[in-house]
Amino acid sequence: MNINLILGIFILKGWDWVGREKSPLAALSWRSPSSSVAPCRALHTTISRRGLDEFFDLPENWGETTVKSGAPWTAKQLRTKSNEDLHKLWYVLLKEKNLLLTLEQEAKRQRVPMSSPERIRKVERSMIRLETVVNERESALRMLQTGQEKARPGAWRRDKFGHVYWYRFKEYAIPWYMNRRYKRKSFFTPKFVQPHIRLRLEKYLRQRARKTSLERRTQSKLKEKFPHANISAS
Amino acid sequence: MRLTALLSMAARVVIPKDYRFGTNRPWTAAAKRLNPPGKKRRKVFVEPMAAEDWSVLRGDTVEILAGKDKGKQGKVIQVFRHRNWVMLEGLNTHHRYIGKGVDSRGTYIASEAPILLRDVALIDPSDRKPADVQWKFTEEGERVRVSLRTGRIIPKPVVQRRDGIVQEQWKDGPKDTSPEDTLAKTYVPSLKTLEEEVMETLGIQENRRHRRSY
């Protein structure tokens, strides 16, 4: 690995999770208050059990105006991680986000500016990218095994105003013919809406024509003012 | 959800199609004062230029070729690509009062005005005179700016990051993951979903089956 690459990368997130024990059951036997009821599992799967301290930052950062933090995780880096690591990282990020949101709320209560609010955005972005990577993997597997592109089934339906849209199905315990609230929805366009649809179409076509003519006028004006420049640049 | 959407609508600034963008960001008070809703201004025509032909970068030293401060050299602080503007440090200034109160006139400061890219030229480092610049490729394949008069390469300016981080002097904090750990590849492709793999690792057995749903 190129040394410049290592020095150039500074990354955020992770309480040293890679070095932790991967088997939670070992930790379970000697740390947690074991109840004798058989299928009960403790919530924690790591060694660190600081309780409510996990909602607060390290004591040396209390009262600072700026706290140093690295860059967020990129999707490219997350794609190289296994599912187990991603699962653990999600909860690490979640706990960090809770910590920062507690800090933000307390800063609002004390009427003091929050130290380094960009940390929340970084964590949010990391979490969004993680979710994207997980969805990508799941989608690839689903396409391979079933050929379905979407996880949630749906259909093209027409609403009362004449718009055709992708209606995503919802999961119910009873069939549709027994579902009173669903039956009150109407997926068809009544006949008296036809004139409104025609007017809406005319409006849309007029807007489109206006836009094209505006573009044509601006291009001709630009050519007139700047004859030497090549016009098709953006 | 409706309430948060409403609140975010109030917070987000709506800019009309014919908005005239100035040096102030649209959500600032100054921009709102200059462009109140309902104000229509004459349309500005910006000379069309390809994005890859843009040669002036932030931190460059350039010389002004036309205008009040003709012949002076200055450092570029800000670049507005969509209007072909550059803001130089302390050049092309006009003076105005800031923080005016009821009784006080406020502070008299010099504020810079933007200059069009056409009126500015990059300086050749060998003879410190303005020169025409083109993007060319070196033998290694690197894309660099070359002055047409002397043929010297103009290096990319080193600018300080806005958050004040210097990459060479960075030290990871307690919550940062080290570069080795981040780049370590642990992904093994398999035909299992994340849920199945995690359940296997944690020893969770799901014996319940899905009931028929509609």
Side-chain angles (χ1 to χ4, degrees), chain A residues 8 10-13 57 68 73 80-83 85 96 171-172 218 222, chain B residues 43 45-46 167 170-171 175-177 181-182 184 186-187 197 213-214:
Chain A
F10 40 91
I11 308 98
L12 181 72
K13 300 317 147 202
D57 215 349
K68 203 176 70 149
W73 284 90
T80 58
K81 301 293 169 203
S82 67
N83 282 333
D85 288 344
E96 183 67 22
E171 204 173 0
Y172 293 101
T218 44
L222 279 174
Chain B
K43 187 178 159 127
F45 286 94
V46 172
Q167 264 180 280
W170 175 264
K171 274 201 194 43
K175 292 195 182 172
D176 294 331
T177 326
D181 284 337
T182 318
T186 53
Y187 178 52
E197 274 191 28
S213 65
Y214 301 86

PDB file of all heavy atoms in Angstrom, chain A residues 8 10-13 57 68 73 80-83 85 96 171-172 218 222, chain B residues 43 45-46 167 170-171 175-177 181-182 184 186-187 197 213-214:
ATOM      1  N   GLY A   8      -2.479  10.115   3.493  1.00  0.00           N
ATOM      2  CA  GLY A   8      -3.490  11.018   2.960  1.00  0.00           C
ATOM      3  C   GLY A   8      -4.892  10.675   3.421  1.00  0.00           C
ATOM      4  O   GLY A   8      -5.801  11.440   3.280  1.00  0.00           O
ATOM      5  N   PHE A  10      -7.653  10.008   6.220  1.00  0.00           N
ATOM      6  CA  PHE A  10      -7.976  10.098   7.646  1.00  0.00           C
ATOM      7  C   PHE A  10      -9.437   9.811   7.745  1.00  0.00           C
ATOM      8  O   PHE A  10     -10.258  10.424   7.101  1.00  0.00           O
ATOM      9  CB  PHE A  10      -7.615  11.463   8.213  1.00  0.00           C
ATOM     10  CG  PHE A  10      -7.910  12.603   7.316  1.00  0.00           C
ATOM     11  CD1 PHE A  10      -9.130  13.245   7.367  1.00  0.00           C
ATOM     12  CD2 PHE A  10      -6.964  13.043   6.403  1.00  0.00           C
ATOM     13  CE1 PHE A  10      -9.399  14.310   6.516  1.00  0.00           C
ATOM     14  CE2 PHE A  10      -7.236  14.101   5.561  1.00  0.00           C
ATOM     15  CZ  PHE A  10      -8.447  14.736   5.631  1.00  0.00           C
ATOM     16  N   ILE A  11      -9.748   8.796   8.514  1.00  0.00           N
ATOM     17  CA  ILE A  11     -11.117   8.303   8.477  1.00  0.00           C
ATOM     18  C   ILE A  11     -11.702   8.264   9.882  1.00  0.00           C
ATOM     19  O   ILE A  11     -11.033   8.141  10.865  1.00  0.00           O
ATOM     20  CB  ILE A  11     -11.158   6.878   7.870  1.00  0.00           C
ATOM     21  CG1 ILE A  11     -10.433   6.857   6.530  1.00  0.00           C
ATOM     22  CG2 ILE A  11     -12.587   6.474   7.622  1.00  0.00           C
ATOM     23  CD1 ILE A  11      -9.104   6.403   6.513  1.00  0.00           C
ATOM     24  N   LEU A  12     -13.015   8.358   9.904  1.00  0.00           N
ATOM     25  CA  LEU A  12     -13.776   8.435  11.137  1.00  0.00           C
ATOM     26  C   LEU A  12     -14.348   7.082  11.500  1.00  0.00           C
ATOM     27  O   LEU A  12     -14.390   6.190  10.685  1.00  0.00           O
ATOM     28  CB  LEU A  12     -14.915   9.422  10.881  1.00  0.00           C
ATOM     29  CG  LEU A  12     -15.874   9.708  12.017  1.00  0.00           C
ATOM     30  CD1 LEU A  12     -15.220  10.529  13.068  1.00  0.00           C
ATOM     31  CD2 LEU A  12     -17.065  10.432  11.488  1.00  0.00           C
ATOM     32  N   LYS A  13     -14.789   6.946  12.697  1.00  0.00           N
ATOM     33  CA  LYS A  13     -15.775   5.949  13.100  1.00  0.00           C
ATOM     34  C   LYS A  13     -15.250   4.570  13.408  1.00  0.00           C
ATOM     35  O   LYS A  13     -14.590   3.928  12.616  1.00  0.00           O
ATOM     36  CB  LYS A  13     -16.918   5.795  12.093  1.00  0.00           C
ATOM     37  CG  LYS A  13     -17.702   7.070  11.885  1.00  0.00           C
ATOM     38  CD  LYS A  13     -17.977   7.759  13.186  1.00  0.00           C
ATOM     39  CE  LYS A  13     -17.996   9.246  13.048  1.00  0.00           C
ATOM     40  NZ  LYS A  13     -17.743   9.908  14.310  1.00  0.00           N
ATOM     41  N   ASP A  57     -19.676  12.119  25.412  1.00  0.00           N
ATOM     42  CA  ASP A  57     -18.362  12.091  24.795  1.00  0.00           C
ATOM     43  C   ASP A  57     -17.298  11.772  25.848  1.00  0.00           C
ATOM     44  O   ASP A  57     -17.596  11.688  27.044  1.00  0.00           O
ATOM     45  CB  ASP A  57     -18.104  13.458  24.172  1.00  0.00           C
ATOM     46  CG  ASP A  57     -17.314  13.351  22.890  1.00  0.00           C
ATOM     47  OD1 ASP A  57     -16.797  12.254  22.616  1.00  0.00           O
ATOM     48  OD2 ASP A  57     -17.214  14.361  22.171  1.00  0.00           O
ATOM     49  N   LYS A  68     -11.908  17.585  17.058  1.00  0.00           N
ATOM     50  CA  LYS A  68     -11.356  17.076  15.807  1.00  0.00           C
ATOM     51  C   LYS A  68     -12.069  15.802  15.424  1.00  0.00           C
ATOM     52  O   LYS A  68     -12.312  14.936  16.264  1.00  0.00           O
ATOM     53  CB  LYS A  68      -9.879  16.783  16.066  1.00  0.00           C
ATOM     54  CG  LYS A  68      -9.027  16.781  14.844  1.00  0.00           C
ATOM     55  CD  LYS A  68      -7.577  16.589  15.233  1.00  0.00           C
ATOM     56  CE  LYS A  68      -7.331  15.179  15.746  1.00  0.00           C
ATOM     57  NZ  LYS A  68      -5.955  14.732  15.445  1.00  0.00           N
ATOM     58  N   TRP A  73     -17.058   7.655   6.256  1.00  0.00           N
ATOM     59  CA  TRP A  73     -16.812   6.442   5.463  1.00  0.00           C
ATOM     60  C   TRP A  73     -17.332   6.693   4.049  1.00  0.00           C
ATOM     61  O   TRP A  73     -18.413   7.219   3.879  1.00  0.00           O
ATOM     62  CB  TRP A  73     -17.562   5.260   6.057  1.00  0.00           C
ATOM     63  CG  TRP A  73     -16.975   4.685   7.279  1.00  0.00           C
ATOM     64  CD1 TRP A  73     -17.241   5.055   8.558  1.00  0.00           C
ATOM     65  CD2 TRP A  73     -16.046   3.610   7.371  1.00  0.00           C
ATOM     66  NE1 TRP A  73     -16.529   4.274   9.436  1.00  0.00           N
ATOM     67  CE2 TRP A  73     -15.779   3.371   8.725  1.00  0.00           C
ATOM     68  CE3 TRP A  73     -15.403   2.809   6.424  1.00  0.00           C
ATOM     69  CZ2 TRP A  73     -14.908   2.396   9.159  1.00  0.00           C
ATOM     70  CZ3 TRP A  73     -14.537   1.838   6.875  1.00  0.00           C
ATOM     71  CH2 TRP A  73     -14.290   1.633   8.225  1.00  0.00           C
ATOM     72  N   THR A  80     -15.861  -2.937   0.683  1.00  0.00           N
ATOM     73  CA  THR A  80     -14.853  -3.972   0.915  1.00  0.00           C
ATOM     74  C   THR A  80     -15.057  -4.701   2.235  1.00  0.00           C
ATOM     75  O   THR A  80     -14.298  -5.602   2.563  1.00  0.00           O
ATOM     76  CB  THR A  80     -13.452  -3.344   0.942  1.00  0.00           C
ATOM     77  OG1 THR A  80     -13.434  -2.358   1.970  1.00  0.00           O
ATOM     78  CG2 THR A  80     -13.102  -2.709  -0.374  1.00  0.00           C
ATOM     79  N   LYS A  81     -16.056  -4.289   2.998  1.00  0.00           N
ATOM     80  CA  LYS A  81     -16.264  -4.883   4.324  1.00  0.00           C
ATOM     81  C   LYS A  81     -17.291  -5.991   4.269  1.00  0.00           C
ATOM     82  O   LYS A  81     -18.220  -5.960   3.472  1.00  0.00           O
ATOM     83  CB  LYS A  81     -16.751  -3.812   5.321  1.00  0.00           C
ATOM     84  CG  LYS A  81     -15.797  -2.663   5.479  1.00  0.00           C
ATOM     85  CD  LYS A  81     -14.523  -3.108   6.123  1.00  0.00           C
ATOM     86  CE  LYS A  81     -13.480  -2.048   6.047  1.00  0.00           C
ATOM     87  NZ  LYS A  81     -12.145  -2.556   6.148  1.00  0.00           N
ATOM     88  N   SER A  82     -17.135  -6.975   5.165  1.00  0.00           N
ATOM     89  CA  SER A  82     -18.084  -8.081   5.190  1.00  0.00           C
ATOM     90  C   SER A  82     -19.390  -7.635   5.831  1.00  0.00           C
ATOM     91  O   SER A  82     -19.457  -6.607   6.488  1.00  0.00           O
ATOM     92  CB  SER A  82     -17.512  -9.243   5.984  1.00  0.00           C
ATOM     93  OG  SER A  82     -17.400  -8.862   7.337  1.00  0.00           O
ATOM     94  N   ASN A  83     -20.423  -8.451   5.658  1.00  0.00           N
ATOM     95  CA  ASN A  83     -21.753  -8.115   6.184  1.00  0.00           C
ATOM     96  C   ASN A  83     -21.742  -7.965   7.699  1.00  0.00           C
ATOM     97  O   ASN A  83     -22.393  -7.089   8.254  1.00  0.00           O
ATOM     98  CB  ASN A  83     -22.753  -9.209   5.791  1.00  0.00           C
ATOM     99  CG  ASN A  83     -23.189  -9.053   4.352  1.00  0.00           C
ATOM    100  OD1 ASN A  83     -23.175  -7.952   3.826  1.00  0.00           O
ATOM    101  ND2 ASN A  83     -23.559 -10.142   3.720  1.00  0.00           N
ATOM    102  N   ASP A  85     -19.187  -7.060   9.583  1.00  0.00           N
ATOM    103  CA  ASP A  85     -18.535  -5.790   9.935  1.00  0.00           C
ATOM    104  C   ASP A  85     -19.463  -4.625   9.712  1.00  0.00           C
ATOM    105  O   ASP A  85     -19.502  -3.680  10.497  1.00  0.00           O
ATOM    106  CB  ASP A  85     -17.273  -5.607   9.090  1.00  0.00           C
ATOM    107  CG  ASP A  85     -16.158  -6.545   9.515  1.00  0.00           C
ATOM    108  OD1 ASP A  85     -16.257  -7.096  10.630  1.00  0.00           O
ATOM    109  OD2 ASP A  85     -15.206  -6.710   8.738  1.00  0.00           O
ATOM    110  N   GLU A  96     -22.940   6.670  18.068  1.00  0.00           N
ATOM    111  CA  GLU A  96     -22.232   7.952  17.925  1.00  0.00           C
ATOM    112  C   GLU A  96     -23.225   9.051  17.579  1.00  0.00           C
ATOM    113  O   GLU A  96     -23.146  10.169  18.081  1.00  0.00           O
ATOM    114  CB  GLU A  96     -21.173   7.810  16.824  1.00  0.00           C
ATOM    115  CG  GLU A  96     -20.319   9.023  16.608  1.00  0.00           C
ATOM    116  CD  GLU A  96     -19.409   9.338  17.761  1.00  0.00           C
ATOM    117  OE1 GLU A  96     -19.127   8.417  18.558  1.00  0.00           O
ATOM    118  OE2 GLU A  96     -19.012  10.498  17.889  1.00  0.00           O
ATOM    119  N   GLU A 171     -48.499  -4.670   2.922  1.00  0.00           N
ATOM    120  CA  GLU A 171     -48.785  -6.016   3.408  1.00  0.00           C
ATOM    121  C   GLU A 171     -49.933  -5.970   4.404  1.00  0.00           C
ATOM    122  O   GLU A 171     -49.840  -5.300   5.431  1.00  0.00           O
ATOM    123  CB  GLU A 171     -47.545  -6.586   4.086  1.00  0.00           C
ATOM    124  CG  GLU A 171     -47.525  -8.088   4.100  1.00  0.00           C
ATOM    125  CD  GLU A 171     -46.215  -8.631   4.621  1.00  0.00           C
ATOM    126  OE1 GLU A 171     -45.344  -7.806   4.969  1.00  0.00           O
ATOM    127  OE2 GLU A 171     -46.070  -9.849   4.688  1.00  0.00           O
ATOM    128  N   TYR A 172     -51.012  -6.702   4.127  1.00  0.00           N
ATOM    129  CA  TYR A 172     -52.163  -6.746   5.027  1.00  0.00           C
ATOM    130  C   TYR A 172     -52.377  -8.152   5.533  1.00  0.00           C
ATOM    131  O   TYR A 172     -51.987  -9.130   4.896  1.00  0.00           O
ATOM    132  CB  TYR A 172     -53.432  -6.295   4.292  1.00  0.00           C
ATOM    133  CG  TYR A 172     -53.435  -4.840   3.892  1.00  0.00           C
ATOM    134  CD1 TYR A 172     -53.147  -4.466   2.581  1.00  0.00           C
ATOM    135  CD2 TYR A 172     -53.747  -3.832   4.802  1.00  0.00           C
ATOM    136  CE1 TYR A 172     -53.170  -3.143   2.200  1.00  0.00           C
ATOM    137  CE2 TYR A 172     -53.764  -2.507   4.428  1.00  0.00           C
ATOM    138  CZ  TYR A 172     -53.475  -2.171   3.126  1.00  0.00           C
ATOM    139  OH  TYR A 172     -53.491  -0.868   2.740  1.00  0.00           O
ATOM    140  N   THR A 218     -32.055  32.269 -25.977  1.00  0.00           N
ATOM    141  CA  THR A 218     -30.810  32.506 -25.233  1.00  0.00           C
ATOM    142  C   THR A 218     -29.609  32.085 -26.067  1.00  0.00           C
ATOM    143  O   THR A 218     -28.590  32.779 -26.063  1.00  0.00           O
ATOM    144  CB  THR A 218     -30.767  31.741 -23.905  1.00  0.00           C
ATOM    145  OG1 THR A 218     -31.230  30.432 -24.130  1.00  0.00           O
ATOM    146  CG2 THR A 218     -31.550  32.409 -22.818  1.00  0.00           C
ATOM    147  N   LEU A 222     -26.613  34.519 -27.086  1.00  0.00           N
ATOM    148  CA  LEU A 222     -25.236  34.222 -26.691  1.00  0.00           C
ATOM    149  C   LEU A 222     -24.325  34.239 -27.916  1.00  0.00           C
ATOM    150  O   LEU A 222     -23.211  34.771 -27.868  1.00  0.00           O
ATOM    151  CB  LEU A 222     -25.161  32.841 -26.024  1.00  0.00           C
ATOM    152  CG  LEU A 222     -25.549  32.762 -24.552  1.00  0.00           C
ATOM    153  CD1 LEU A 222     -25.561  31.321 -24.096  1.00  0.00           C
ATOM    154  CD2 LEU A 222     -24.604  33.558 -23.683  1.00  0.00           C
TER     155      LEU A 222
ATOM    156  N   LYS B  43     -31.657  39.976 -17.605  1.00  0.00           N
ATOM    157  CA  LYS B  43     -30.936  38.704 -17.599  1.00  0.00           C
ATOM    158  C   LYS B  43     -29.465  38.926 -17.973  1.00  0.00           C
ATOM    159  O   LYS B  43     -29.144  39.680 -18.884  1.00  0.00           O
ATOM    160  CB  LYS B  43     -31.587  37.788 -18.632  1.00  0.00           C
ATOM    161  CG  LYS B  43     -31.033  36.386 -18.610  1.00  0.00           C
ATOM    162  CD  LYS B  43     -31.735  35.525 -19.609  1.00  0.00           C
ATOM    163  CE  LYS B  43     -30.877  34.332 -19.936  1.00  0.00           C
ATOM    164  NZ  LYS B  43     -31.591  33.094 -19.767  1.00  0.00           N
ATOM    165  N   PHE B  45     -25.966  37.537 -19.529  1.00  0.00           N
ATOM    166  CA  PHE B  45     -25.502  36.503 -20.449  1.00  0.00           C
ATOM    167  C   PHE B  45     -24.053  36.216 -20.114  1.00  0.00           C
ATOM    168  O   PHE B  45     -23.191  37.075 -20.226  1.00  0.00           O
ATOM    169  CB  PHE B  45     -25.670  36.964 -21.903  1.00  0.00           C
ATOM    170  CG  PHE B  45     -27.108  36.944 -22.331  1.00  0.00           C
ATOM    171  CD1 PHE B  45     -27.882  38.093 -22.232  1.00  0.00           C
ATOM    172  CD2 PHE B  45     -27.694  35.782 -22.801  1.00  0.00           C
ATOM    173  CE1 PHE B  45     -29.215  38.070 -22.609  1.00  0.00           C
ATOM    174  CE2 PHE B  45     -29.017  35.757 -23.179  1.00  0.00           C
ATOM    175  CZ  PHE B  45     -29.779  36.902 -23.079  1.00  0.00           C
ATOM    176  N   VAL B  46     -23.801  34.985 -19.702  1.00  0.00           N
ATOM    177  CA  VAL B  46     -22.463  34.586 -19.297  1.00  0.00           C
ATOM    178  C   VAL B  46     -21.812  33.890 -20.482  1.00  0.00           C
ATOM    179  O   VAL B  46     -22.429  33.034 -21.118  1.00  0.00           O
ATOM    180  CB  VAL B  46     -22.558  33.623 -18.091  1.00  0.00           C
ATOM    181  CG1 VAL B  46     -21.218  33.043 -17.762  1.00  0.00           C
ATOM    182  CG2 VAL B  46     -23.133  34.341 -16.913  1.00  0.00           C
ATOM    183  N   GLN B 167      -3.102  17.683   5.665  1.00  0.00           N
ATOM    184  CA  GLN B 167      -3.112  16.225   5.526  1.00  0.00           C
ATOM    185  C   GLN B 167      -1.864  15.539   6.069  1.00  0.00           C
ATOM    186  O   GLN B 167      -1.960  14.475   6.654  1.00  0.00           O
ATOM    187  CB  GLN B 167      -3.287  15.856   4.052  1.00  0.00           C
ATOM    188  CG  GLN B 167      -4.725  15.576   3.730  1.00  0.00           C
ATOM    189  CD  GLN B 167      -4.926  15.203   2.279  1.00  0.00           C
ATOM    190  OE1 GLN B 167      -4.969  16.064   1.426  1.00  0.00           O
ATOM    191  NE2 GLN B 167      -5.038  13.933   2.009  1.00  0.00           N
ATOM    192  N   TRP B 170      -1.859  15.067  10.037  1.00  0.00           N
ATOM    193  CA  TRP B 170      -3.050  14.511  10.691  1.00  0.00           C
ATOM    194  C   TRP B 170      -2.679  13.331  11.598  1.00  0.00           C
ATOM    195  O   TRP B 170      -1.909  12.469  11.233  1.00  0.00           O
ATOM    196  CB  TRP B 170      -4.040  14.048   9.632  1.00  0.00           C
ATOM    197  CG  TRP B 170      -5.214  13.372  10.232  1.00  0.00           C
ATOM    198  CD1 TRP B 170      -5.408  12.041  10.394  1.00  0.00           C
ATOM    199  CD2 TRP B 170      -6.361  14.002  10.794  1.00  0.00           C
ATOM    200  NE1 TRP B 170      -6.620  11.797  10.999  1.00  0.00           N
ATOM    201  CE2 TRP B 170      -7.226  12.995  11.256  1.00  0.00           C
ATOM    202  CE3 TRP B 170      -6.766  15.338  10.942  1.00  0.00           C
ATOM    203  CZ2 TRP B 170      -8.452  13.252  11.854  1.00  0.00           C
ATOM    204  CZ3 TRP B 170      -7.994  15.583  11.535  1.00  0.00           C
ATOM    205  CH2 TRP B 170      -8.809  14.559  11.987  1.00  0.00           C
ATOM    206  N   LYS B 171      -3.305  13.308  12.789  1.00  0.00           N
ATOM    207  CA  LYS B 171      -3.151  12.144  13.688  1.00  0.00           C
ATOM    208  C   LYS B 171      -4.559  11.661  14.015  1.00  0.00           C
ATOM    209  O   LYS B 171      -5.423  12.442  14.380  1.00  0.00           O
ATOM    210  CB  LYS B 171      -2.441  12.574  14.976  1.00  0.00           C
ATOM    211  CG  LYS B 171      -0.958  12.559  14.872  1.00  0.00           C
ATOM    212  CD  LYS B 171      -0.327  12.471  16.253  1.00  0.00           C
ATOM    213  CE  LYS B 171       1.156  12.792  16.223  1.00  0.00           C
ATOM    214  NZ  LYS B 171       1.593  13.911  15.426  1.00  0.00           N
ATOM    215  N   LYS B 175     -11.613   7.886  18.188  1.00  0.00           N
ATOM    216  CA  LYS B 175     -12.774   7.316  17.519  1.00  0.00           C
ATOM    217  C   LYS B 175     -12.531   7.087  16.036  1.00  0.00           C
ATOM    218  O   LYS B 175     -13.399   6.624  15.336  1.00  0.00           O
ATOM    219  CB  LYS B 175     -13.975   8.246  17.696  1.00  0.00           C
ATOM    220  CG  LYS B 175     -14.443   8.289  19.108  1.00  0.00           C
ATOM    221  CD  LYS B 175     -15.809   8.904  19.225  1.00  0.00           C
ATOM    222  CE  LYS B 175     -16.206   8.970  20.670  1.00  0.00           C
ATOM    223  NZ  LYS B 175     -17.433   9.711  20.870  1.00  0.00           N
ATOM    224  N   ASP B 176     -11.366   7.444  15.529  1.00  0.00           N
ATOM    225  CA  ASP B 176     -11.096   7.270  14.104  1.00  0.00           C
ATOM    226  C   ASP B 176     -10.561   5.880  13.841  1.00  0.00           C
ATOM    227  O   ASP B 176      -9.798   5.338  14.634  1.00  0.00           O
ATOM    228  CB  ASP B 176     -10.060   8.306  13.631  1.00  0.00           C
ATOM    229  CG  ASP B 176     -10.610   9.712  13.702  1.00  0.00           C
ATOM    230  OD1 ASP B 176     -11.830   9.865  13.572  1.00  0.00           O
ATOM    231  OD2 ASP B 176      -9.815  10.652  13.884  1.00  0.00           O
ATOM    232  N   THR B 177     -10.941   5.336  12.700  1.00  0.00           N
ATOM    233  CA  THR B 177     -10.423   4.029  12.308  1.00  0.00           C
ATOM    234  C   THR B 177      -9.114   4.246  11.579  1.00  0.00           C
ATOM    235  O   THR B 177      -9.005   5.132  10.747  1.00  0.00           O
ATOM    236  CB  THR B 177     -11.409   3.328  11.370  1.00  0.00           C
ATOM    237  OG1 THR B 177     -12.727   3.681  11.742  1.00  0.00           O
ATOM    238  CG2 THR B 177     -11.265   1.849  11.415  1.00  0.00           C
ATOM    239  N   ASP B 181      -7.027  -0.563   8.960  1.00  0.00           N
ATOM    240  CA  ASP B 181      -8.309  -1.217   9.254  1.00  0.00           C
ATOM    241  C   ASP B 181      -9.363  -0.850   8.235  1.00  0.00           C
ATOM    242  O   ASP B 181     -10.206  -1.673   7.879  1.00  0.00           O
ATOM    243  CB  ASP B 181      -8.798  -0.800  10.650  1.00  0.00           C
ATOM    244  CG  ASP B 181      -8.038  -1.514  11.743  1.00  0.00           C
ATOM    245  OD1 ASP B 181      -7.478  -2.593  11.448  1.00  0.00           O
ATOM    246  OD2 ASP B 181      -7.994  -0.995  12.874  1.00  0.00           O
ATOM    247  N   THR B 182      -9.311   0.418   7.765  1.00  0.00           N
ATOM    248  CA  THR B 182     -10.339   0.846   6.822  1.00  0.00           C
ATOM    249  C   THR B 182     -10.173   0.146   5.485  1.00  0.00           C
ATOM    250  O   THR B 182     -11.134  -0.219   4.841  1.00  0.00           O
ATOM    251  CB  THR B 182     -10.225   2.351   6.572  1.00  0.00           C
ATOM    252  OG1 THR B 182      -9.974   2.990   7.808  1.00  0.00           O
ATOM    253  CG2 THR B 182     -11.493   2.902   5.979  1.00  0.00           C
ATOM    254  N   ALA B 184      -8.680  -2.678   4.938  1.00  0.00           N
ATOM    255  CA  ALA B 184      -8.634  -4.142   5.014  1.00  0.00           C
ATOM    256  C   ALA B 184      -9.883  -4.730   4.387  1.00  0.00           C
ATOM    257  O   ALA B 184     -10.999  -4.352   4.719  1.00  0.00           O
ATOM    258  CB  ALA B 184      -8.543  -4.571   6.477  1.00  0.00           C
ATOM    259  N   THR B 186     -12.512  -7.406   4.055  1.00  0.00           N
ATOM    260  CA  THR B 186     -13.052  -8.566   4.787  1.00  0.00           C
ATOM    261  C   THR B 186     -14.249  -9.170   4.070  1.00  0.00           C
ATOM    262  O   THR B 186     -14.835 -10.130   4.542  1.00  0.00           O
ATOM    263  CB  THR B 186     -13.499  -8.156   6.209  1.00  0.00           C
ATOM    264  OG1 THR B 186     -14.375  -7.051   6.076  1.00  0.00           O
ATOM    265  CG2 THR B 186     -12.320  -7.782   7.066  1.00  0.00           C
ATOM    266  N   TYR B 187     -14.628  -8.601   2.910  1.00  0.00           N
ATOM    267  CA  TYR B 187     -15.837  -9.061   2.236  1.00  0.00           C
ATOM    268  C   TYR B 187     -15.566 -10.356   1.508  1.00  0.00           C
ATOM    269  O   TYR B 187     -14.642 -10.462   0.719  1.00  0.00           O
ATOM    270  CB  TYR B 187     -16.324  -7.996   1.247  1.00  0.00           C
ATOM    271  CG  TYR B 187     -17.544  -8.381   0.459  1.00  0.00           C
ATOM    272  CD1 TYR B 187     -18.693  -8.845   1.094  1.00  0.00           C
ATOM    273  CD2 TYR B 187     -17.570  -8.266  -0.926  1.00  0.00           C
ATOM    274  CE1 TYR B 187     -19.816  -9.190   0.378  1.00  0.00           C
ATOM    275  CE2 TYR B 187     -18.700  -8.615  -1.646  1.00  0.00           C
ATOM    276  CZ  TYR B 187     -19.813  -9.074  -0.991  1.00  0.00           C
ATOM    277  OH  TYR B 187     -20.931  -9.409  -1.710  1.00  0.00           O
ATOM    278  N   GLU B 197     -26.479 -14.001   7.376  1.00  0.00           N
ATOM    279  CA  GLU B 197     -25.102 -14.140   7.874  1.00  0.00           C
ATOM    280  C   GLU B 197     -24.993 -13.757   9.327  1.00  0.00           C
ATOM    281  O   GLU B 197     -24.337 -14.433  10.127  1.00  0.00           O
ATOM    282  CB  GLU B 197     -24.168 -13.242   7.048  1.00  0.00           C
ATOM    283  CG  GLU B 197     -23.677 -13.908   5.795  1.00  0.00           C
ATOM    284  CD  GLU B 197     -22.567 -13.131   5.125  1.00  0.00           C
ATOM    285  OE1 GLU B 197     -21.821 -12.415   5.814  1.00  0.00           O
ATOM    286  OE2 GLU B 197     -22.482 -13.247   3.904  1.00  0.00           O
ATOM    287  N   SER B 213     -49.961 -13.604   3.937  1.00  0.00           N
ATOM    288  CA  SER B 213     -50.370 -12.197   3.989  1.00  0.00           C
ATOM    289  C   SER B 213     -50.885 -11.796   2.600  1.00  0.00           C
ATOM    290  O   SER B 213     -50.606 -12.470   1.612  1.00  0.00           O
ATOM    291  CB  SER B 213     -49.192 -11.308   4.388  1.00  0.00           C
ATOM    292  OG  SER B 213     -48.202 -11.349   3.397  1.00  0.00           O
ATOM    293  N   TYR B 214     -51.609 -10.693   2.550  1.00  0.00           N
ATOM    294  CA  TYR B 214     -52.262 -10.293   1.300  1.00  0.00           C
ATOM    295  C   TYR B 214     -51.773  -8.919   0.861  1.00  0.00           C
ATOM    296  O   TYR B 214     -51.477  -8.091   1.669  1.00  0.00           O
ATOM    297  CB  TYR B 214     -53.779 -10.270   1.505  1.00  0.00           C
ATOM    298  CG  TYR B 214     -54.335 -11.606   1.922  1.00  0.00           C
ATOM    299  CD1 TYR B 214     -54.362 -11.957   3.278  1.00  0.00           C
ATOM    300  CD2 TYR B 214     -54.783 -12.502   0.978  1.00  0.00           C
ATOM    301  CE1 TYR B 214     -54.842 -13.196   3.649  1.00  0.00           C
ATOM    302  CE2 TYR B 214     -55.274 -13.739   1.363  1.00  0.00           C
ATOM    303  CZ  TYR B 214     -55.310 -14.095   2.690  1.00  0.00           C
ATOM    304  OH  TYR B 214     -55.785 -15.309   3.073  1.00  0.00           O
TER     305      TYR B 214
END
